[in-house]
Amino acid sequence: MKGAPDVVVVGGGAAGLLAAGTAAAAGARVLLLEKNSETGKKLKIAGQGRCNITNAGDIRDFPAHYPGGGNFLHSAFRRLDNEGLRHFFAALGVATKIERGGRVFPLSDDAAEVVRALRAYARAGGVETETERRVERLALAPGDRASRPRVSGVYVAGETGLRTAGATIIATGGAAFPGTGSTGDGYALGAAAGHTLVPPRPALVPLRATADWLGAVQGLSLRNVRAALWVGGRRVQEEFGEMIFAHFGLSGPIILLLSRAAVGALEEGAEAVVRINLKPALTAEQTARRLDRDLAQNGKKHLRHALLLLLPRRLVPVLIALAGLEPERQAAGLTREERRRLAELLQDLPLRLTGHLGFSAAVVTAGGINLKEVDPATMASKCADGLFWAGEVLDVDGVTGGYNLQAAFSTAFVAGQAAAARKSGV
Ligand SMILES: Cc1cc2nc3c(=O)[nH]c(=O)nc-3n(C[C@H](O)[C@H](O)[C@H](O)COP(=O)(O)OP(=O)(O)OC[C@H]3O[C@@H](n4cnc5c(N)ncnc54)[C@H](O)[C@@H]3O)c2cc1C
């Protein structure tokens, strides 16, 4: 690019690509700097390679789906909502479909198509993309207001000169899944410009648990169960759906949903327990009656056979052992107290949490650039002039279902337009 760009975008993920394309479409000369050898690395693996780009639910209900930063997003959603995003992609040739829970995917089931479309959008607007360019520092000059500096460009690792720009958008992502490039660089860039951080923590992350029986059920997935998170003896959250046992502990959709609160509790040193209800459709009484019936009807069988009607095969010996019983006992011979213990376990199988798998396995980052220091209407920094934020680097995190990408795209759209409106030196 000859001469300085109007806007430099740091990071070519979901937010960076859309912010760059939007700024260019608004008439700005845009330079996009990405540290990987290609843009959109995380997008390509999103939604297990199918890319759940948003959710088809009512946009007014969206903020409630962000345990972090939902209210901050109101004005960004007004500017680019889920319908707008689907139209945007349709115009780029990416038709979409709606699946269970309102999840929106490309019709092709191919995340790479989404990446190609975003790259084409940026290219069409004249965005110049440079890969293998890691921004390591912001150039800070005295601003118009003495209290706040102006960002006049960026320094790229291994280069001597300064890349000057009228506006800088940081879209470096969070710290989750660092193998895709999001290694938390934006936090240090922000801190140098005067921002504070809400401490980043992994969210939507598998949880570690201790139980000597976990090895026996690893890989077993359960549907239609309820899992509740108890912290310090108090139930704090409950989710219904699918989960999976792993050698290290617990994973699967409902466990990921519990993980944000669980990680917070664990990091504060609190006791955290997940209690699994294997029969959530039944009341305690109905469960006891159902157990009694099964044991009576199979009275001559061994307990381990009699319970197969009620439980997945691999869980049967686990519950028998936890109830302190012998698998070879005759089903009809159980005492009332023994039956009570079994019935209770069917609805309350506890697992004490010991930790989590960390950023390397987390889908998203909770925490990030403090939202009090960012204008929600423009994504402009309140700490430095010429600086804008977009995407997961902000203290925003949503649940699963397309909410994280919608937040990345909406904040990017706003930041792209606002940065372009500033233009070089204005
Ligand atoms: C496995 C997985 C699956 C997911 N699936 C979904 C899904 O289906 N739906 C959904 O809504 N959300 C999903 N998410 C979350 C979603 O992908 C992220 O919230 C979203 O990608 C965030 O976009 P972003 O642009 O802010 O950050 P990223 O997409 O992480 O992009 C940041 C970019 O900045 C670059 N970068 C970082 N530092 C620098 C630097 N110093 N200089 C230059 N470049 C830099 C990185 O290399 C990267 O390319 C998933 C996440 C994971 C990990």
Side-chain angles (χ1 to χ4, degrees), residues 209-229:
T210 45
D212 49 12
W213 48 269
L214 272 173
V217 290
Q218 68 167 299
L220 174 68
S221 98
L222 302 173
R223 304 186 102 162
N224 302 324
V225 295
R226 183 170 293 138
L229 173 69

Side-chain angles (χ1 to χ4, degrees), residues 89 131 241 253 267 413:
F89 277 114
T131 54
E267 292 194 353
F413 181 75

Side-chain angles (χ1 to χ4, degrees), residues 11 13-15 34-36 46-47 52 135 173 177 181 185 363 391-392 402 405:
E34 164 57 51
K35 75 174 173 187
N36 287 331
N52 177 194
V135 169
F177 242 73
D185 295 12
V363 172
E392 201 181 306
L405 281 175

Side-chain angles (χ1 to χ4, degrees), residues 126-275:
V127 173
E128 202 158 291
T129 300
E130 291 184 27
T131 54
E132 296 179 332
R133 298 287 186 280
R134 183 172 65 80
V135 169
E136 60 178 2
R137 203 154 54 85
L138 297 177
L140 297 164
D144 300 340
R145 276 170 278 187
S147 58
R148 116 183 180 177
R150 183 171 68 85
V151 175
S152 58
V154 300
Y155 291 98
V156 172
E159 291 180 359
T160 45
L162 159 72
R163 307 288 197 104
T164 53
T168 300
I169 301 175
I170 300 184
T172 47
F177 242 73
T180 59
S182 48
T183 49
D185 295 12
Y187 305 143
L189 297 175
H195 280 276
T196 58
L197 265 191
V198 173
R201 285 199 316 244
L204 298 178
V205 65
L207 298 172
R208 291 187 189 280
T210 45
D212 49 12
W213 48 269
L214 272 173
V217 290
Q218 68 167 299
L220 174 68
S221 98
L222 302 173
R223 304 186 102 162
N224 302 324
V225 295
R226 183 170 293 138
L229 173 69
W230 288 67
V231 175
R234 213 169 50 84
R235 188 175 59 191
V236 296
Q237 193 181 340
E238 203 172 68
E239 300 291 342
F240 173 83
E242 203 174 327
M243 58 162 284
I244 185 163
F245 290 109
H247 66 282
F248 56 79
L250 304 169
S251 189
I254 60 175
I255 298 301
L256 296 190
L257 291 177
L258 296 178
S259 68
R260 189 183 198 271
V263 169
L266 289 164
E267 292 194 353
E268 280 163 19
E271 190 203 40
V273 178
V274 167
R275 310 187 86 98

Side-chain angles (χ1 to χ4, degrees), residues 254-337:
I254 60 175
I255 298 301
L256 296 190
L257 291 177
L258 296 178
S259 68
R260 189 183 198 271
V263 169
L266 289 164
E267 292 194 353
E268 280 163 19
E271 190 203 40
V273 178
V274 167
R275 310 187 86 98
I276 303 163
N277 183 344
L278 298 162
K279 297 285 165 207
L282 304 180
T283 62
E285 235 173 64
Q286 287 168 331
T287 307
R289 273 208 303 273
R290 168 78 200 274
L291 177 68
D292 288 352
R293 194 191 67 197
D294 281 11
L295 295 180
Q297 282 175 359
N298 299 280
K300 292 210 170 80
K301 288 187 182 163
H302 286 151
L303 190 52
R304 66 187 159 89
H305 289 125
L307 288 179
L308 284 176
L309 292 168
L310 262 174
L311 283 170
R313 175 177 296 275
R314 290 163 72 192
L315 264 180
V316 170
V318 171
L319 260 73
I320 292 175
L322 289 173
L325 301 171
E326 290 298 322
E328 310 301 327
R329 283 276 296 278
Q330 219 182 6
L334 262 60
T335 65
R336 178 193 287 256
E337 166 58 18

